[in-house]
Amino acid sequence: MAQTLGAEEGDFATHVNIKVLHYLIALAECLNFSRAANRCAVTQPTLSIQVRKLEEYLGVTLFERDRTRVVLTDDGEKVLSLARIVVAAADEIVRIRRTRIRVEFAHCAKPTQPQTDAAPTLIKEIN
């Protein structure tokens, strides 16, 4: 496959996002574009285009395709292994954030108990 976008032409984060890595993982697990697209809640053309763009950016063929089957290539296996690590790390970052938000919300949402012994003191001070 001819390389149309080399790493020297832009950074990885500009051309590859976590969503595309999810598409790659789904396709590798399903080995079927329609099922992978369904799993990712996108259309088959969307998934196909994004995987093709990833291949173009990386300059490698990740999947061998024909009318009847999809097969992960050796390069695809290598990229898939790394994609799983990246996606797992991103998911963990999101979990940390969600946990932090829940803790902060729980702390803010706790009702405070009125100080019941303050009223007699205030009444004495007023009189």
Side-chain angles (χ1 to χ4, degrees):
M1 168 179 278
Q3 185 173 356
T4 57
L5 271 179
E8 69 279 356
E9 296 178 39
D11 63 43
F12 181 78
T14 301
H15 298 282
V16 180
N17 61 46
I18 301 298
K19 189 180 298 186
V20 173
L21 298 179
H22 277 284
Y23 297 168
L24 168 69
I25 293 167
L27 184 55
E29 291 174 355
C30 295
L31 295 176
N32 178 287
F33 279 89
S34 295
R35 285 194 297 268
N38 189 43
R39 180 188 286 187
C40 295
V42 297
T43 64
Q44 182 274 324
T46 296
L47 185 127
S48 183
I49 289 166
Q50 292 303 313
V51 170
R52 178 70 68 198
K53 284 182 178 181
L54 178 60
E55 290 177 318
E56 289 173 1
Y57 172 72
L58 296 175
V60 298
T61 300
L62 301 172
F63 297 93
E64 291 292 336
R65 311 152 171 87
D66 65 29
R67 294 191 60 108
T68 59
R69 64 188 190 124
V70 176
V71 178
L72 194 61
T73 65
D74 289 341
D75 285 332
E77 288 282 354
K78 292 173 190 171
V79 173
L80 175 63
S81 176
L82 295 170
R84 285 186 167 133
I85 293 168
V86 171
V87 168
D91 289 347
E92 184 59 27
I93 291 168
V94 170
R95 274 192 290 282
I96 290 168
R97 181 176 185 278
R98 286 183 181 151
T99 299
R100 179 71 179 161
I101 288 170
R102 272 191 236 114
V103 167
E104 288 176 2
F105 179 75
H107 177 72
C108 293
K110 287 182 181 176
T112 57
Q113 295 293 325
Q115 192 174 5
T116 57
D117 60 341
T121 304
L122 289 174
I123 293 172
K124 285 180 187 176
E125 289 179 11
I126 294 173
N127 290 328

